Amino acid sequence: MSSSPRVVVLAGGVGGAKFTLGVRAALARRGAPEATVVVNTGDDLWLSGVRLQPDVDSIVYALAGQNDTQRGWGRAGDTERVNHELQAWGAGWPWFTLGDLDLGTHLARTGWLRDGLTPTQVIGRMSRRWPLGVHLLPMTDTEADTIVVLCDGRRMHFQEWWTRHRAALQPAAFENPGIGDAAPAPGVAEAIAGADVVLLGPSNPVVSLGPILAVPGMRAALASTSAPVVGVAPIIGGRVVRGMADVCLAAIGVETSASAVAAHYGARADGGLLDAWLLAEEDGALAPEVAGRGIRPIVTPLWMTDAAASADIVDAALDAVGV
Ligand code: GDP
Ligand code: CA
């Protein structure tokens, strides 16, 4: 048992942020080094001339204590003056709010990207203003925004499907154009290779962890690391805790159950990703099924009600694999 494990986390936005708060707290308790958090950039988009990185910002704002906990997204105490002006011009998307403080982030990011910084370097700069207590990396420096292909053949950006249509239009597939030529961001493969444990956070398996795992080289890095790979179920009692991950899962033919999601990631021994899988107590009856798939089940409370509860989840994962 190592009291200073090197931890790598794969994460999406709001669920990923809640989990990452727990990772930071659990590692601080152990006096362990900062975790490396690899975040989904499939949600990213260009809007009104600025680059948005919703999942990056959800994690940055949460770790910096700047997030709006009431609303669940964006900056605490934000206003919408610029947004109203953009709408008056007919610019942007009328159904997509850009807060004033949030726009400050997007402008800073876009300026740095225009200056030639990579997304990795931009996140590095953001982490200088607000020490995050983790080493945050994008999954890739290449733009590969998620596109939803609808059953009627139409294609739209993930954010339009998710935010405007609330995932109500039947999806046939999720694609990340350009991802075939992408590579993991600098430091990602090295962190996975040097890790003592890799944690797949309870993020949306399809549109948050899906794009991360689709980056060429990512699965190979996970397959070849000597670190155990432990996943956390985003499903509790057969339901998604928040959001519309069930619609995404159905589109790729995966049932909304903690066991089916484990099977979707697959057992490492069978060429999949997982050594172990955290199941909620409500889903304890699924443990034998998960074990039968060659994945070690660990039954523990999975409600991320606050950072302490998330830290307990992380402790359960680390204890289970002896790091
Ligand atoms: P997004 O990018 O903002 O959609 O956030 P993520 O993809 O990182 O996380 C969304 C997922 O987190 C949803 O599918 C939820 O089921 C899951 N989730 C949210 N809260 C909890 C929780 O308290 N416990 C668990 N186990 N999963 C949660
Ligand atoms: Ca997201």
Side-chain angles (χ1 to χ4, degrees), residues 12-14 40 43 54-55 158-159 207-208:
V14 177
N40 172 43
D43 281 20
D55 285 1
F158 168 73
Q159 291 296 347
V207 294
S208 290

Side-chain angles (χ1 to χ4, degrees), residues 32-59:
E34 291 183 352
T36 297
V37 177
V38 180
V39 59
N40 172 43
T41 56
D43 281 20
D44 298 5
L45 70 156
W46 286 99
L47 191 63
S48 290
V50 292
R51 186 69 173 155
L52 275 57
Q53 295 199 293
D55 285 1
V56 170
D57 290 348
S58 289
I59 291 191

Side-chain angles (χ1 to χ4, degrees), residues 38-311:
V38 180
V39 59
N40 172 43
T41 56
D43 281 20
D44 298 5
L45 70 156
W46 286 99
L47 191 63
S48 290
V50 292
R51 186 69 173 155
L52 275 57
Q53 295 199 293
D55 285 1
V56 170
D57 290 348
S58 289
I59 291 191
V60 168
Y61 294 161
L63 291 175
Q66 301 289 332
N67 57 320
D68 187 325
T69 48
Q70 221 91 57
R71 213 168 36 166
W73 55 272
R75 292 280 295 276
D78 213 344
T79 47
E80 295 175 14
R81 291 194 68 197
V82 178
N83 199 55
H84 289 140
E85 191 63 8
L86 285 169
Q87 315 245 313
W89 285 115
W93 282 334
W95 38 266
F96 198 87
T97 306
L98 293 168
D100 294 331
L101 297 177
D102 215 10
L103 266 165
T105 304
H106 306 328
L107 282 172
R109 169 167 40 235
T110 305
W112 290 329
L113 290 171
R114 292 264 186 254
D115 288 344
L117 267 65
T118 62
T120 302
Q121 291 167 334
V122 168
I123 292 174
R125 282 219 181 162
M126 291 166 76
S127 314
R128 283 217 291 274
R129 174 178 179 195
W130 288 318
L132 302 178
V134 304
H135 183 208
L136 186 62
L137 293 173
M139 65 189 200
T140 180
D141 278 336
T142 302
E143 281 182 23
D145 305 1
T146 302
I147 300 295
V148 185
V149 184
L150 301 177
C151 286
D152 64 13
R154 276 185 295 159
R155 299 166 65 84
M156 63 178 65
H157 191 284
F158 168 73
Q159 291 296 347
E160 181 172 5
W161 180 72
W162 189 258
T163 308
R164 179 183 190 183
H165 298 290
R166 310 300 302 160
L169 304 177
Q170 206 58 42
F174 299 90
E175 294 178 356
N176 293 90
I179 207 158
D181 298 320
V188 169
E190 296 81 349
I192 293 171
D196 293 310
V197 61
V198 178
L199 302 175
L200 305 193
S203 290
N204 187 314
V206 185
V207 294
S208 290
L209 296 199
I212 300 179
L213 297 170
V215 176
M218 199 70 80
R219 281 179 178 273
L222 292 166
S224 62
T225 180
S226 58
V229 177
V230 184
V232 182
I235 311 290
I236 299 182
R239 294 212 154 116
V240 290
V241 179
R242 198 193 125 263
M244 299 155 290
D246 47 345
V247 182
C248 304
L249 285 167
I252 62 161
V254 176
E255 204 191 312
T256 301
S257 101
S259 170
V261 174
H264 164 66
Y265 289 132
R268 210 152 165 213
D270 288 338
L273 298 167
L274 296 174
D275 293 295
W277 184 240
L278 267 60
L279 283 163
E281 292 168 307
E282 293 87 335
D283 295 311
L286 297 174
E289 199 176 304
V290 172
R293 301 185 192 278
I295 300 163
R296 189 172 148 213
I298 298 152
V299 178
T300 192
L302 288 189
W303 293 101
M304 300 190 290
T305 41
D306 54 24
S310 298

